[in-house]
Amino acid sequence: MSMHRASTPTDRRSSRARRRAARAVVLRTTLAVALGVLAALLVACSGSGKGLIPTGDAGPLQSDFEAVAQAAENGNGNCASTESALLKTDQDFAALPATIDTGLHNTLRQGIENLRTRALALCTQPLPQATETTSTQKTESTTTTTPPAETQTTTTQSTPTTAPTTSGPGGGTPAPGEEGVGEEGPGLGKGEGGGKGHNSGGTQPEAGDQEATK
């Protein structure tokens, strides 16, 4: 069993657009043919001979025909310019001298009417649209990067702690562990009565005693 897909509004619009485009192509082709016939007629039947279209009149008519065709091709649904160009063509055609051959005159008039029909049909058609392209708008997200805060390093200078020093009797600074040591060595500090103390290791004779012994 065959299944047919229902046509959507988009499909119908696309179908109408294709038909209009095809019709516009046909109208442009027929307009170009009508313009070519008139141009060939002017070239073949213009000159200074009897019954021919004077060269001075053939030039303006040729310009009129081309103006009509150009206005019709650029009409895009507006035929005002095309009608103005056709009016100018009719005026120049009416100004042709009566010496022109009757058959040639009638042929030229028929060619102008054919051009009019094709031009007025084409100017009502919209211009062919270019292929529609869908442009995707890219949203550019701007990311603001906050620079890291500068870490300030504080250098703490440590001040060495100096133990207070106590000057000895001689003005010197005793070494650690030598507090209470007098000038005369360990254990030889002066007593309260002014006498000299003795070393704990034994009694050392004074120099005067040694002389008395002798």
Side-chain angles (χ1 to χ4, degrees):
M1 182 178 62
S2 60
M3 299 180 61
H4 299 282
R5 185 176 63 88
S7 61
T8 62
T10 303
D11 295 336
R12 290 192 291 270
R13 285 194 297 268
S14 299
S15 178
R16 287 195 297 268
R18 286 192 295 269
R19 288 196 298 269
R20 286 195 300 266
R23 177 177 172 78
V25 170
V26 173
L27 291 175
R28 282 183 169 81
T29 302
T30 56
L31 178 63
V33 171
L35 180 62
V37 170
L38 286 173
L41 181 62
L42 290 177
V43 171
C45 301
S46 62
S48 57
K50 183 180 179 180
L52 297 179
I53 302 172
T55 305
D57 295 325
L61 281 175
Q62 178 65 32
S63 298
D64 293 340
F65 301 155
E66 294 174 356
V68 169
Q70 184 176 2
E73 290 177 356
N74 297 327
N76 196 21
N78 187 354
C79 296
S81 298
T82 305
E83 291 173 352
S84 298
L86 287 170
L87 180 60
K88 177 66 166 55
T89 302
D90 292 338
Q91 292 173 352
D92 291 341
F93 176 74
L96 290 176
T99 56
I100 296 177
D101 182 75
T102 303
L104 177 57
H105 191 275
N106 292 336
T107 303
L108 186 58
R109 184 178 64 249
Q110 291 175 0
I112 293 175
E113 290 300 325
N114 188 25
L115 181 66
R116 181 192 307 275
T117 302
R118 306 304 180 186
L120 291 177
L122 179 59
C123 66
T124 60
Q125 301 298 314
L127 293 175
Q129 300 297 323
T131 304
E132 295 182 358
T133 56
T134 304
S135 58
T136 304
Q137 296 180 354
K138 296 181 179 179
T139 305
E140 296 181 358
S141 57
T142 305
T143 304
T144 304
T145 304
T146 304
E150 295 182 358
T151 304
Q152 297 181 354
T153 304
T154 304
T155 304
T156 304
Q157 297 181 354
S158 59
T159 303
T161 303
T162 305
T165 57
T166 304
S167 300
T173 303
E178 294 183 356
E179 294 183 357
V181 179
E183 291 179 347
E184 297 181 2
L188 297 181
K190 293 181 180 181
E192 294 181 354
K196 296 181 180 179
H198 296 279
N199 192 337
S200 59
T203 302
Q204 297 292 333
E206 298 290 336
D209 295 340
Q210 293 178 0
E211 291 178 1
T213 303
K214 290 180 181 182

